[in-house]
Amino acid sequence: RRRHTRSLCDWSSDVCSSDLAEYLVDVDALVQALGGRVVLVGHSMGGTIASLYAGIRPEAVAGLVILDGLGLPDGLSGTMERWRAHLDGHRSLRPPRTLGSVEEAMQRILALHPMLDERHARLLAERGTRPVEGGVAWSTDPRHRLRMAVPYRQDQHAKLLSEVRCPVLLVWPETPAFAEEDIRRLTSLLPMARQLVVPNTTHALHMQAPVSVAEAIRALLQVLTDSSKGAI
């Protein structure tokens, strides 16, 4: 029985890209459409993108919340290998494989995140898959698996972090996904930022401890509200 797969052409390169700059374009367009100043909340790569944007457009960001996602390993080395890997990756790209069911997708998520409970794993599986002939398939763009041709550079990120002018909340799991050295280097550029560690969590901390994370975000929003009223 032939599996129904989605053509790679069904994903628009203007919408999904492994290049951080493309995501910044999307954030900028959204902020412009909303008007006024915004509070950005980002998890993982989204946190890195949000922090970059807050440095590029400090006048547009009233507050910043980063969930286990401030920066990436420095990509200065291996330029030739990086470009070759990027091109080779495009050559070998295939649409996502078909899974038998949402249940199978949930079990794969639990294998990667054993501290996640089944209810939240199922929610992620339902949101992260789409029905196809023979089962379900991951709905993410397969190009996300490619190595970025243009490397992430911590020195550039550092310069942008030094331009952030809003209150910042850094929320970390007990077991961060990022190297401690990278975390220390980048957080040192945000000396006024408040940091919070959520016990018994890993990278999916917002799913493992949603109440704790929500309360932390709510507290920052309250500070911003009080500040706008002249209370602080």
Side-chain angles (χ1 to χ4, degrees):
R1 184 178 182 180
R2 185 179 64 84
R3 287 179 174 177
H4 173 75
T5 55
R6 185 177 184 177
S7 166
L8 293 176
C9 298
D10 291 343
W11 279 278
S12 168
S13 60
D14 292 331
V15 175
C16 286
S17 170
S18 59
D19 189 339
L20 294 178
E22 294 295 330
Y23 294 109
L24 288 167
V25 171
D26 290 341
V27 174
D28 195 43
L30 177 60
V31 171
Q32 190 174 26
L34 291 173
R37 302 178 72 207
V38 301
V39 177
L40 295 178
V41 180
H43 169 250
S44 192
M45 184 173 69
T48 295
I49 293 166
S51 67
L52 290 169
Y53 186 81
I56 297 168
R57 302 274 200 217
E59 73 284 354
V61 182
L64 181 62
V65 181
I66 300 172
L67 311 176
D68 198 23
L70 186 63
L72 301 167
D74 207 317
L76 287 175
S77 60
T79 301
M80 182 64 72
E81 290 77 14
R82 181 180 296 276
W83 276 101
R84 284 174 176 164
H86 187 74
L87 293 179
D88 290 345
H90 270 284
R91 284 184 176 183
S92 60
L93 267 182
R94 296 290 185 274
R97 59 173 296 186
T98 298
L99 304 174
S101 64
V102 170
E103 179 74 21
E104 182 180 346
M106 181 189 77
Q107 293 303 325
R108 288 175 177 269
I109 291 172
L110 286 172
L112 290 173
H113 303 285
M115 293 181 66
L116 201 63
D117 62 64
E118 288 194 5
R119 181 169 65 90
H120 288 111
R122 178 174 294 279
L123 183 63
L124 288 174
E126 290 172 348
R127 291 180 176 179
T129 59
R130 54 188 173 79
V132 296
E133 184 180 342
V136 299
W138 299 113
S139 55
T140 51
D141 188 332
R143 284 171 292 188
H144 284 291
R145 299 195 299 268
L146 295 178
R147 190 178 184 187
M148 286 187 293
V150 180
Y152 163 86
R153 292 179 53 180
Q154 281 192 4
D155 59 339
Q156 292 181 349
H157 194 174
K159 290 179 180 178
L160 294 177
L161 287 178
S162 67
E163 297 296 326
V164 174
R165 298 291 180 264
C166 65
V168 180
L169 174 62
L170 302 171
V171 186
W172 304 106
E174 188 173 294
T175 307
F178 302 90
E180 291 185 7
E181 181 182 350
D182 293 336
I183 291 174
R184 284 195 301 270
R185 182 182 299 116
L186 294 172
T187 54
S188 68
L189 300 167
L190 298 167
M192 300 300 292
R194 178 191 169 204
Q195 299 197 56
L196 172 68
V197 176
V198 182
N200 303 316
T201 57
T202 56
H203 190 52
L205 71 166
H206 56 306
M207 301 293 286
Q208 296 163 337
V211 174
S212 297
V213 173
E215 288 178 347
I217 296 173
R218 186 181 296 115
L220 176 67
L221 294 175
Q222 187 62 54
V223 168
L224 294 173
T225 300
D226 293 342
S227 179
S228 67
K229 293 178 179 178
I232 295 179

